[in-house]
Amino acid sequence: MTPARQGVPYWRMTRPGFLGLTLVAYALGVAIAWHAGARAPVGVLLAGLAIALLGHAAGNVLNDYEDARSGADAGNHDAIAPFTGGSGLIQHGAVGIEATRRYARLLLLACALGGLLLVAWRRQPELLAIGGLGVALGWAYSSPPLALMARGLGEATVGIAWWLVVVGADALVRGHPSPAPVACGTGFALLVASVLLLNGFPDARADAAAGKRTLRVVLGARHAAWLFSALVFAAHAVAWWAAGFLPGGWAWAPLASLPPALYAGLRLHRDLAHPARLRPAIIAMLAAVHLHALAWVVALATTAG
């Protein structure tokens, strides 16, 4: 039975609460190009954003399908909804597993076709490489035989995928690739990876039982917590260095995300033995990632050429 016949909104299957990460990553890429004096038609910007969001949504639905197949979500009684443990729609009987698989494929197809049309419209073959790698990572993150999320590589994969959103948005606006978004996007990507690492703490027991070797499962609670802190500090160090090249004293702008990120780290270290208490830390970390990108956007727009 399809999701529509069961009355389940397709929107909920995409985990919309997380799509804001793609929105701010895309805005960051556009702002980097804008800062350099590049412009693009509104239609092009909206098309690129829609394709990026389709790719993110497809990855989320595909992840729900694969976690349902492995049993990771069904056996997860410690999840902090709606942040960890998937959407829960399959486990609550709201949608079938095969309907989820078909929907994931439909979203991937829409993303791929939209990307091809955008490449043809803009005559930018490099976008095909950037977007193609992003789609490939979204598939490889969840799906066998690679299933990178189960091999201790999920956090790195997710970080690279969102780094590509920043790089791709910049290239779309400029009309060609540039090294400019590398540093700005790296700090953001490290924070996105840290969000996934943090989210792995409540899910660790179920993930381990299902053979899903996230970094939290591989490293153990204490070492994974220190890795989280290292990622947070590395992200802000890179961002502070990159922002130092902006005029007008804007070097501190990306550090606006440091206080909520530090709060998340403190809560994580305090509640290592009680992952069910990590909701405030997860919320703070998600706020930090969005704030980081938006602070960059403001700084870049304010100092645009």
Side-chain angles (χ1 to χ4, degrees), residues 5-286:
R5 290 177 183 173
Q6 291 182 317
V8 176
Y10 287 98
W11 181 242
R12 285 177 59 198
M13 296 175 69
T14 65
R15 294 187 230 167
F18 288 97
L19 296 180
L21 288 173
T22 293
L23 179 61
V24 296
Y26 188 85
L28 174 55
V30 171
I32 295 169
W34 182 279
H35 181 264
R39 303 291 185 269
V42 173
V44 171
L45 296 177
L46 292 177
L49 176 59
I51 292 164
L53 289 171
L54 280 170
H56 184 177
N60 284 347
V61 177
L62 184 61
N63 180 249
D64 264 10
Y65 168 70
E66 295 295 350
D67 276 352
R69 286 185 63 211
S70 70
D73 283 349
N76 192 346
H77 306 295
D78 304 315
I80 301 177
F83 305 110
T84 77
S87 70
L89 293 173
I90 297 175
Q91 290 70 40
H92 289 93
V95 61
I97 188 170
E98 285 305 310
T100 302
R101 178 180 63 86
R102 290 194 297 270
Y103 188 35
R105 289 184 174 182
L106 178 62
L107 289 171
L108 281 172
L109 179 61
C111 177
L113 289 177
L116 290 172
L117 290 173
L118 184 61
V119 168
W121 180 15
R122 294 289 284 174
R123 298 179 182 180
Q124 290 181 249
E126 67 276 1
L127 293 177
L128 187 60
I130 296 171
L133 179 56
V135 170
L137 289 174
W139 171 83
Y141 172 78
S142 297
S143 301
L146 296 179
L148 299 175
M149 65 176 181
R151 303 176 185 274
L153 297 172
E155 292 80 3
T157 301
V158 163
I160 294 171
W162 265 270
W163 180 78
L164 288 171
V165 174
V166 178
V167 172
D170 173 84
L172 177 64
V173 176
R174 287 179 192 267
H176 58 82
S178 167
V182 172
C184 300
T186 296
F188 177 78
L190 289 171
L191 289 179
V192 172
S194 70
V195 168
L196 188 62
L197 176 58
L198 177 60
N199 284 5
F201 279 79
D203 297 345
R205 190 185 320 185
D207 287 342
K212 185 176 175 181
R213 294 175 58 77
T214 63
L215 281 180
R216 162 59 185 86
V217 173
V218 172
L219 298 176
R222 188 162 301 280
H223 288 98
W226 283 113
L227 176 59
F228 172 85
S229 298
L231 288 174
V232 165
F233 280 108
H236 288 92
V238 170
W240 179 75
W241 173 81
F245 293 95
L246 296 176
W250 283 95
W252 299 101
L255 299 187
S257 56
L258 187 56
L262 289 176
Y263 170 77
L266 290 173
R267 290 292 301 244
L268 174 60
H269 284 276
R270 191 188 74 178
D271 293 326
L272 278 181
H274 306 283
R277 300 176 183 174
L278 288 177
R279 179 182 293 270
I282 293 172
I283 293 173
M285 199 59 216
L286 284 170

